């Protein structure tokens, strides 16, 4: 079956779905409306849309096919007239399946009252307790029945299979079995990425960053920064345009080609996705600034190199990297400054170690671009992700990162991400302070040394004059 090109709009009382299905028989159309679900089958096209609120079929509803244009227009009445249907322009969200209902976490198998026999059994079991067990229970009773607890010791990962999973929500494996024979210049995990544990990936990534760090390159860019200042001063016209995001025909077609998926995740996984999004947007912002939003053949390499979940398959959290900033309660599902700093520091390090232009000031401008994109919400971010996906899809080696990360991110950002959370994180990213000491490469000392050399050269020139 073919998914037709479509668009949706609304009035105060109706929802209108317009499907492009040329050269069909209108009499063969099967249209079904079931609460929030619209199903259309007209051979060879099939479309199923899931609206945010219920619609009904009544005397005001209609379906009209125009053979001259090839468009089938379906008008449905809102169950609650005047209700606003949000996100009708996010096609992947409309195409996503209905969320499955989780089973109840507690099931009552039997209910009965406690009798005298039960009390006798409890007393009998209490008599069998050791002296130490009785003292522990007495202490718990004095402390509102809070038994003593201790932090479990760290243990190594236990695997029942040789497979290692990676990618979006750790759903993928087997994509790098033959990486040794592929021209993948951004892979930092050697010839056997499939056998690397999460800890191994992080160690290899940090080691590679430290090896690629070049003090002389950084000092040279710091001393002669005329072109870098042009990159810093450049204003992204897409982010500067404050009007509502309206997707192009190309973007709508790209969204139609996205898979229909439902994601089930816990709060920790959800938080890590938002942190991974920061790295993606940072790489996109860097490439846009250094190419003035005109992607080059090197853009795919730049993006993949700057994103640690691509080049090293190393997802957040990155709190272990932070020597100067620590999260007091790292298990809390909050977006603290420390957590944001750790995510941004990883992107900063890579932007200072790998690409052509290595400037802390340039990294700061990329952070501001990330903040602007996130505060604009999921529509702007969808546009950024689609552009990154377009760049990687056309590369013979790096397309794999689009498959295991960007494709799912494009669906997730439309169907699951919250504009409220994105805006909250974006505001924090805009104001967070990234200390140069957190990078770990003595940037302040190198900059001071560069300034000292520059002053000496100027003084020498003055004396010669």
């Amino acid at each position: 079956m073919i998914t037709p090109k479509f668009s949706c709009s609304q009035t105060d009382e109706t929802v209108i779905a317009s499907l492009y299905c040329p050269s069909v028989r209108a009499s063969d159309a099967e249209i079904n409306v079931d609460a929030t679900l619209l199903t259309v089958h007209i051979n060879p096209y099939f479309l199923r849309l899931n609206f945010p609120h219920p619609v009904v079929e009544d005397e005001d509803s209609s379906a009209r096919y125009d053979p001259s244009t090839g468009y089938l227009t379906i008008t449905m009445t809102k169950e609650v007239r005047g209700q606003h249907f949000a996100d009708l322009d996010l096609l992947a969200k409309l195409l996503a399946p209905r969320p499955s209902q989780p089973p109840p976490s507690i099931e009552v198998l039997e209910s009965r009252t406690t009798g005298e026999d039960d009390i006798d059994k409890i007393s009998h079991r209490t008599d069998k307790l050791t002296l130490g067990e009785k003292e522990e229970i007495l202490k718990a009773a004095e402390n509102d029945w809070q038994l003593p607890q201790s932090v479990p010791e760290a243990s190594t990962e236990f695997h029942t299979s040789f497979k290692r999973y990676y990618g979006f929500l750790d759903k993928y494996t087997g994509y790098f079995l033959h990486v040794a024979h592929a021209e993948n210049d951004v892979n930092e995990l050697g010839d056997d990425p499939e056998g690397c544990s999460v800890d191994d990936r992080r160690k290899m990534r940090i080691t590679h960053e430290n090896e690629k760090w070049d003090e002389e390159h950084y000092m040279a860019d710091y001393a002669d920064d005329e072109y870098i200042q042009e990159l810093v001063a450049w204003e992204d016209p897409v982010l500067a345009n404050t009007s509502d995001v309206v997707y192009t025909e190309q973007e709508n077609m790209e969204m139609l080609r996205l898979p229909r998926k439902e994601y089930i995740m816990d709060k920790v996984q959800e938080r890590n996705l938002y942190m991974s999004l920061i790295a993606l947007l940072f790489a996109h912002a860097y490439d846009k600034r250094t190419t003035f939003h005109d992607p080059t053949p090197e853009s795919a390499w730049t993006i993949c190199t700057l994103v640690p979940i691509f080049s090293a398959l190393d997802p957040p959290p990155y709190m272990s990297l932070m020597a100067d900033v620590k999260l007091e309660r790292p298990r809390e599902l909050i977006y603290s400054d420390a957590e944001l700093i750790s995510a941004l520091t990883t992107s900063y390090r890579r932007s200072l170690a790998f690409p052509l232009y290595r400037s802390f000031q340039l990294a700061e401008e990329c952070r501001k671009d990330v903040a602007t994109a996130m505060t604009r919400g999921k529509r702007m971010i969808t546009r950024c992700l689609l552009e990154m996906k377009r760049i990687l899809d056309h590369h013979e080696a790096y397309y794999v990162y689009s498959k295991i990360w960007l494709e799912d991110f494009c669906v997730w950002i439309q169907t699951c991400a919250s504009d409220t959370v994105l805006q909250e994180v974006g505001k924090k990213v805009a104001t967070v302070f990234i200390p140069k000491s957190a990078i770990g490469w003595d940037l302040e000392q190198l900059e001071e040394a560069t300034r000292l050399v520059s002053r000496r050269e100027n003084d020498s020139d003055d004396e010669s004059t």
Side-chain angles (χ1 to χ4, degrees), residues 86-97:
D87 299 337
L88 290 182
D89 58 334
L90 298 181
L91 306 189
K93 185 173 184 178
L94 295 175
L95 291 169

Side-chain angles (χ1 to χ4, degrees), residues 159-173:
H159 297 281
T160 58
S161 170
F162 289 108
K163 291 182 177 180
R164 296 291 187 269
Y165 289 86
Y166 42 75
F168 193 88
L169 296 180
D170 289 332
K171 295 195 313 171
Y172 297 93
T173 187

Side-chain angles (χ1 to χ4, degrees), residues 226-240 284-295 361-362 364-366 368-369 372 387:
E226 181 178 353
Y227 186 71
I228 288 178
Q229 291 303 319
E230 291 184 28
L231 304 180
V232 169
W234 180 75
E235 185 177 26
D236 187 345
V238 177
L239 296 179
H284 182 247
Y286 183 95
D287 183 68
K288 288 177 73 175
R289 281 192 171 272
T290 54
T291 63
F292 299 109
H293 202 189
D294 184 15
Q361 187 181 3
L362 178 59
E364 286 280 84
E365 292 303 315
C366 293
K368 296 175 184 177
D369 291 343
T372 303
E387 185 171 327

Side-chain angles (χ1 to χ4, degrees), residues 87-329:
D87 299 337
L88 290 182
D89 58 334
L90 298 181
L91 306 189
K93 185 173 184 178
L94 295 175
L95 291 169
R98 282 178 174 176
S100 58
Q101 296 296 326
S105 56
I106 299 177
E107 181 180 0
V108 179
L109 300 177
E110 183 181 4
S111 178
R112 61 189 179 89
T113 57
T114 303
E116 294 182 1
D117 292 341
D118 296 318
I119 296 176
D120 292 338
K121 290 179 181 179
I122 294 173
S123 300
H124 182 65
R125 291 177 182 175
T126 304
D127 293 337
K128 291 184 177 181
L129 294 175
T130 64
L131 182 60
E133 291 172 335
K134 289 181 179 179
E135 289 179 355
E136 188 172 329
I137 290 177
L138 290 174
K139 288 181 181 179
E142 294 174 358
N143 194 30
D144 196 22
W145 292 103
Q146 299 182 47
L147 293 173
Q149 302 180 92
S150 59
V151 179
E153 295 182 1
S155 58
T156 57
E157 293 182 80
F158 177 75
H159 297 281
T160 58
S161 170
F162 289 108
K163 291 182 177 180
R164 296 291 187 269
Y165 289 86
Y166 42 75
F168 193 88
L169 296 180
D170 289 332
K171 295 195 313 171
Y172 297 93
T173 187
Y175 280 79
F176 298 94
L177 289 173
H178 307 291
V179 70
H181 307 290
E183 296 182 3
N184 189 337
D185 296 330
V186 303
N187 169 47
E188 299 176 10
L189 304 180
D191 294 339
D192 187 26
E194 296 290 337
C196 293
S197 67
V198 175
D199 290 339
D200 290 339
R201 296 175 206 161
R202 179 152 302 180
K203 291 176 183 177
M204 295 173 75
R205 175 179 65 78
I206 296 173
T207 299
H208 192 237
E209 290 171 357
N210 291 332
E211 290 174 351
K212 289 295 183 180
W213 162 245
D214 187 339
E215 293 183 354
E216 293 183 358
H217 191 142
Y218 180 79
M219 295 172 72
D221 280 355
Y222 184 79
D224 185 10
D225 66 344
E226 181 178 353
Y227 186 71
I228 288 178
Q229 291 303 319
E230 291 184 28
L231 304 180
V232 169
W234 180 75
E235 185 177 26
D236 187 345
V238 177
L239 296 179
N241 184 359
T242 57
S243 59
D244 293 339
V245 175
V246 178
Y247 294 121
T248 64
E249 187 71 16
Q250 180 185 16
E251 290 169 334
N252 282 328
M253 292 304 298
E254 290 170 342
M255 286 190 281
L256 283 176
R257 287 192 288 266
L258 293 172
R260 283 61 152 154
K261 292 184 178 181
E262 178 187 358
Y263 300 106
I264 300 176
M265 67 195 80
D266 58 33
K267 290 296 182 181
V268 175
Q269 291 174 312
E270 183 181 18
R271 179 194 66 190
N272 289 339
L273 288 180
Y274 283 105
M275 295 298 101
S276 297
L277 183 62
I278 291 177
L280 292 172
L281 295 176
F282 185 95
H284 182 247
Y286 183 95
D287 183 68
K288 288 177 73 175
R289 281 192 171 272
T290 54
T291 63
F292 299 109
H293 202 189
D294 184 15
T296 69
E298 294 297 320
S299 291
W301 179 89
T302 301
I303 291 172
C304 291
T305 299
L306 292 182
V307 180
I309 59 176
F310 290 177
S311 55
L313 304 178
D314 182 23
Y318 303 117
M319 294 302 299
S320 59
L321 298 180
M322 299 299 295
D324 300 332
V325 186
K326 295 181 180 179
L327 183 63
E328 294 181 0
R329 290 172 288 182

Side-chain angles (χ1 to χ4, degrees), residues 375-438:
T375 53
R376 292 286 302 276
K378 53 189 176 184
R379 286 170 177 78
M380 177 59 70
I381 295 175
T382 298
R383 171 163 285 172
C384 296
L385 293 175
L386 288 174
E387 185 171 327
M388 295 174 68
K389 184 177 184 299
R390 198 178 308 132
I391 293 172
L392 298 193
D393 282 347
H394 291 88
H395 195 278
E396 60 184 6
Y398 305 153
Y399 74 91
V400 66
Y401 300 113
S402 175
K403 180 65 178 177
I404 66 175
W405 278 110
L406 285 179
E407 195 172 81
D408 289 285
F409 256 109
C410 288
V411 177
W412 172 79
I413 198 70
Q414 297 181 67
T415 60
C416 304
S418 165
D419 272 328
T420 302
V421 175
L422 290 170
Q423 290 165 3
E424 173 193 342
V425 175
K427 291 177 182 177
K428 288 189 174 182
V429 169
T431 58
V432 71
F433 172 70
I434 309 296
K436 292 181 179 179
S437 59

